[in-house]
Amino acid sequence: MSAEVIVAHAPGRVNLIGDHTDYAEGLVLPMAIDLGTTVTGRREGDRVVLASGTEPEAAIVDLDVADPAAASPAWARYVAGVVAELRPGTGLTGTVATTLPVGAGLSSSAALEVAVALALGFDGEPLALAQLAQAAEQRASGVPCGIMDQLASAAGVAGAALLIDCRSLDVTPVPLPDDVEVRVVHSGQERQLAGSEYAERRAAVEAAAARLGPLRDHDDPGVADRLDDPVLQRRARHVIAENARVRSVVRSLAAGDLDAVGAAMAASHASLRDDFEVSTPVLDALVERLVATPGVIGARLTGAGFGGCVVALTRPGALDEGWLVRPAAGASVTVGG
Ligand code: GLA
């Protein structure tokens, strides 16, 4: 008798505010989106064989894979990372379909990892699923990413953004008003995380925290002036101020003060540009153009930076470019039926 059909779906995410804070025990405000990745297959055999609707070559991964980063083609690394973390007893044969643009900064890799883990039989809480997928991502890509992307995908809530405290790992739904839209606009610059400056930024934040104590515990960005190195000063200033901006956006959303939300998004972009230095002239020009458009409440680069996407909060219908995304539920799996 052949195995039952498994369908596992995991959403991508867009981050409304709070970038480069997750790996510093800070605050983030992403939302899972109604674009995502679906793995359909049967648990059988002693390897994972997945064909893709968007990639020419299948991912074929042995259950005892030793080095996920060496898997080929490139997208198979993420599958291999999950296999190496989960070590399932049975393989999987199936297909992967996605509505996410790959490499745009909407966490296509996190969605793939989370969906593959569920398809392979992961059974546990969303936080544990996210932690497994984060470890898989780090193994696959070599990038020391935080937990935001995988946790947003695993723990999404329809209609709400997620306030994630990356110290306690508490996730608090933050409902979005009905009369706003979230748009994601690609800069046209392919985001390159692996081998990029992400690890360097994280190391700088950790060096600053080694001197100042956890940046999360500071409220005043001016404390960064105590550091000797002007680069570390800027990096620490961004993280401390960004945590405060996440808090203020949560308060402003609850109060219906969208002007304040827009102002915080503008300040976040400026901080990522000037202090954290992860923007690009193309992203800056795109943000400038979008915020000058009537009905746009705020816009900022979203995710790691170095290219990728801008997120804009708008009045309904203000923009007709990019992707209109809605806050969606987190990952799910069905077996048989
Ligand atoms: C990438 C990482 C996340 C987070 C963002 C920046 O998306 O995967 O963990 O650090 O960059 O906020």
Side-chain angles (χ1 to χ4, degrees):
M1 217 183 83
S2 69
E4 287 178 299
V5 176
I6 315 281
V7 181
H9 176 80
R13 70 92 186 92
V14 65
N15 190 19
L16 298 178
I17 194 159
D19 272 309
H20 291 281
T21 49
D22 63 346
Y23 50 76
E25 303 185 342
L27 302 173
V28 295
L29 189 65
M31 61 187 220
I33 61 177
D34 54 344
L35 301 173
T37 297
T38 304
V39 174
T40 306
R42 292 174 195 275
R43 287 180 198 142
E44 59 191 19
D46 55 7
R47 45 186 208 169
V48 176
V49 182
L50 288 172
S52 160
T54 47
E55 299 287 332
E57 271 185 74
I60 302 175
V61 177
D62 289 331
L63 294 187
D64 61 355
V65 59
D67 182 8
S72 169
W75 75 277
R77 291 178 203 165
Y78 301 101
V79 177
V82 174
V83 171
E85 287 297 325
L86 190 61
R87 292 296 179 204
T90 307
L92 178 78
T93 307
T95 56
V96 179
T98 192
T99 51
L100 283 164
V102 172
L106 295 181
S107 295
S108 53
S109 60
L112 176 61
E113 291 144 13
V114 169
V116 168
L118 287 175
L120 284 171
F122 172 89
D123 186 17
E125 295 297 314
L127 175 58
L129 173 59
Q131 286 169 325
L132 181 136
Q134 177 194 18
E137 170 92 30
Q138 293 185 347
R139 273 203 201 219
S141 66
V143 176
C145 67
I147 198 160
M148 169 170 68
D149 306 347
Q150 290 80 12
L151 191 48
S153 179
V157 173
L162 308 171
L163 171 63
I164 302 177
D165 180 328
C166 297
R167 174 178 274 171
S168 67
L169 298 173
D170 287 340
V171 179
T172 309
V174 176
L176 289 184
D178 292 335
D179 58 344
V180 301
E181 286 180 356
V182 179
R183 283 259 165 194
V184 180
V185 184
H186 200 293
S187 66
Q189 286 182 313
E190 187 89 354
R191 197 183 55 119
Q192 289 296 343
L193 255 193
S196 78
E197 301 182 54
Y198 185 94
E200 192 197 296
R201 293 298 186 284
R202 180 170 180 158
V205 167
E206 283 165 1
R211 292 180 183 73
L212 297 175
L215 300 183
R216 165 64 188 276
D217 294 334
H218 291 286
D219 293 326
D220 174 13
V223 75
D225 295 345
R226 287 191 215 149
L227 297 163
D228 301 329
D229 180 344
V231 173
L232 293 195
Q233 282 180 7
R234 293 201 293 276
R235 305 295 186 256
R237 195 158 60 213
H238 165 75
V239 172
I240 296 168
E242 187 81 348
N243 284 330
R245 284 188 286 267
V246 174
R247 284 195 186 90
S248 85
V249 163
V250 171
R251 278 194 306 267
S252 302
L253 282 172
D257 186 352
L258 294 179
D259 289 345
V261 173
M265 291 177 82
S268 172
H269 185 82
S271 176
L272 288 161
R273 180 190 64 209
D274 301 335
D275 280 342
F276 219 70
E277 296 177 278
V278 294
S279 191
T280 66
V282 177
L283 283 167
D284 297 342
L286 179 56
V287 166
E288 217 172 291
R289 179 169 67 74
L290 294 180
V291 294
T293 307
V296 172
I297 296 159
R300 56 184 286 282
L301 79 80
T302 181
F306 312 107
C309 286
V310 165
V311 61
L313 201 66
T314 80
R315 299 288 180 191
L319 291 178
D320 62 2
E321 59 191 297
W323 297 274
L324 172 62
V325 292
R326 293 184 183 82
S332 61
V333 62
T334 58
V335 180

